Amino acid sequence: MSFTLTTLTASIQEWTQNDEATFVAEIPFFIKNAEERIFKVVDLDYFRKNATGTMTSSNKFLQKPSDYLASFSLSYVNSSNQNIFLSQKDVNYIQEFNPNPSTTGSPRFYSSFDIDNFIVAPTPDSSYSVELHYYYRPASLTTDDSGSTWISTNAPDALLYASLIEAYTFMKGETDLIQLYTARFTESISRLKLYAESQENTDAYREGLVQVRKQ
């Protein structure tokens, strides 16, 4: 089973037996909230991405990708053609380490300065090529009526139950139904987490098959 926006919208209406206009208009927001819930609780390689760019000489800021959520690593290529990885620190640490931005050098640290930029220290003394490995927010299912996403194809049950939690919360629905859908969402997320944290990152030849303890 795989969902498109059209088929998931229809399923939400069928499960809730609600086709009231205001409710239907809110369904894309239910789905977006459901996707966000999944993104925040499961660390899938699918949610990781690499981007390249350039640090500008004498500029302490480095622009983030528009879909950036969190960093895994940031590195640059120095004059000896070596990859140098920066250590992530708090903004206060960065500013205390290099209180005068006009003081330049080989960057050692970086931090998320605001929604659009990193700050690095020392301020780059040259224009360096950089590579950012980061956690990103994939395009939502709600952007295309007939298209699908990785989540809607590979974790449709988690997406459906998370959407139903949002829908019933909006409807101020029965507590027992919300609890039921929450339990089913938790179950489907557990399977997805097993895949993400074990099977997706395990080489069976070298490490053997993933073993799950029997209850």
Side-chain angles (χ1 to χ4, degrees), residues 44-51 65-67 70 72-73 131-138:
L44 287 162
D45 281 352
Y46 169 70
F47 301 148
R48 300 187 181 199
K49 196 173 183 180
N50 274 49
S66 60
D67 55 1
F72 290 107
S73 66
E131 182 175 11
L132 174 68
H133 185 46
Y134 67 103
Y135 183 64
Y136 81 107
R137 179 179 286 104

Side-chain angles (χ1 to χ4, degrees), residues 140-194:
S140 172
L141 183 67
T142 61
T143 60
D144 185 353
D145 287 349
S146 59
S148 60
T149 64
W150 192 96
I151 289 293
S152 73
T153 300
N154 295 281
D157 51 346
L159 182 58
L160 173 62
Y161 291 129
S163 298
L164 289 172
I165 293 169
E166 298 293 332
Y168 270 92
T169 301
F170 175 83
M171 293 169 58
K172 299 179 177 60
E174 298 88 341
T175 301
D176 58 340
L177 278 177
I178 295 178
Q179 291 174 341
L180 172 63
Y181 296 143
T182 299
R184 292 192 174 182
F185 171 74
T186 301
E187 180 183 344
S188 59
I189 280 294
S190 295
R191 292 194 296 268
L192 193 59
K193 284 176 71 68
L194 174 64

Side-chain angles (χ1 to χ4, degrees), residues 103-149:
T103 301
T104 63
S106 299
R108 295 175 55 191
F109 308 108
Y110 79 104
S111 180
S112 181
F113 183 77
D114 58 27
I115 193 171
D116 295 316
N117 298 283
F118 296 114
I119 183 172
V120 299
T123 301
D125 57 359
S126 182
S127 294
Y128 295 107
S129 296
V130 300
E131 182 175 11
L132 174 68
H133 185 46
Y134 67 103
Y135 183 64
Y136 81 107
R137 179 179 286 104
S140 172
L141 183 67
T142 61
T143 60
D144 185 353
D145 287 349
S146 59
S148 60
T149 64

Side-chain angles (χ1 to χ4, degrees), residues 91-108:
V91 172
N92 294 332
Y93 182 97
I94 298 287
Q95 294 176 324
E96 183 176 358
F97 177 82
N98 196 34
N100 184 358
S102 63
T103 301
T104 63
S106 299
R108 295 175 55 191

Side-chain angles (χ1 to χ4, degrees), residues 5 9-10 12-13 16 18-31 170:
L5 175 60
T9 297
I12 292 170
Q13 289 181 261
T16 58
N18 190 342
D19 58 3
E20 192 271 325
T22 301
F23 175 82
V24 173
E26 292 292 322
I27 288 179
F29 296 100
F30 303 156
I31 296 172
F170 175 83

Side-chain angles (χ1 to χ4, degrees), residues 201-210:
N201 298 309
T202 300
D203 184 327
Y205 173 74
R206 296 181 183 279
E207 300 181 36
L209 296 175
V210 175

